[in-house]
Amino acid sequence: MPLPPAVLWGYWAVHIDDIRYDPAPNPLYQRLRGLVGDMDHWVMTSNVDALFARNGFAPDRVFTPQGDYGRYQCTTPCTPETWDSRPLVERLLAAYDPATGAVTDSRALPHCPNCGGEVEINVRVGPEFIDALYRPAGARLQEWLSASASDTRLLILELGAGFNTPGVVRWPGEHLTRHLPCARLIRVNPAHPEVPADLADRALPVPADAQHLLDALDAPHPAPKPTVTP
Ligand SMILES: [Zn+2]
């Protein structure tokens, strides 16, 4: 049974406010930015929370094919336009009752500004998803990859891309590694670090999460103990 709109939008308002509009910096993403440093790089992510762009990565170098909690769209959709979700979230939260989880003023509930119909958050949930905003970054990433000389070294650092949506990051990374002779893949994943057999000499499985990887890279490396021969 679908949730009543007042409860559905109450949930979305709290959830999006928390993970998309939290102004606090995210230490993990900031450490990732530090790890990349001055290297020429791109981010391809299934995230829809803008955490990369909000923590120091250049927004025009982040490809988010799954959408963005920061936008909403017509469910029909009657137009390829999408709209900023921040004013909507603020309006919903102003009418939100934490005791019931519902939005108490029906005038706060969203409708399509164009046709007056239902709207939804602009993330890939079905064929109605409008990806117009994200496609240009995908095209620029393709250009960046094809502009590289055949001997350009490419390191694909894959973090936590399992099997929920393997077609977004995991399989494209394998595909790139397979087709670019100078590419290497590091697969950081506590549950599914395994790499395809044909890439075994160019792909490294790391059975850990990103946090552990960064901690290990930051840890001081002890000097090798001198071998004492009696
Ligand atoms: Zn519409």
Side-chain angles (χ1 to χ4, degrees), residues 72-192:
Y72 68 103
Q73 65 162 84
C74 176
T75 302
T76 301
C78 69
T79 165
E81 214 180 330
T82 64
W83 303 281
D84 184 0
S85 73
R86 191 191 282 267
L88 167 62
V89 166
E90 285 170 0
R91 193 171 80 223
L92 290 165
L93 287 178
Y96 178 73
D97 177 3
T100 61
V103 174
T104 54
D105 183 353
S106 64
R107 288 171 301 180
L109 298 175
H111 300 281
C112 171
N114 195 48
C115 73
E118 286 182 22
V119 294
E120 63 189 31
I121 299 304
N122 184 215
V123 294
R124 193 183 297 277
V125 288
E128 76 277 20
F129 173 58
I130 296 169
D131 66 354
L133 209 61
Y134 317 109
R135 255 186 281 128
R140 290 198 306 277
L141 171 56
Q142 283 286 356
E143 274 168 35
W144 182 75
L145 286 167
S146 10
S148 313
S150 61
D151 61 347
T152 301
R153 294 192 303 163
L154 174 72
L155 176 66
I156 301 170
L157 179 60
E158 180 196 284
L159 302 166
F163 287 101
N164 281 338
T165 52
V168 179
V169 172
R170 190 174 173 106
W171 293 341
E174 292 177 3
H175 179 80
L176 272 175
T177 311
R178 206 164 270 133
H179 289 272
L180 301 173
C182 293
R184 299 289 182 273
L185 170 67
I186 298 180
R187 170 160 284 159
V188 182
N189 194 311
H192 300 288

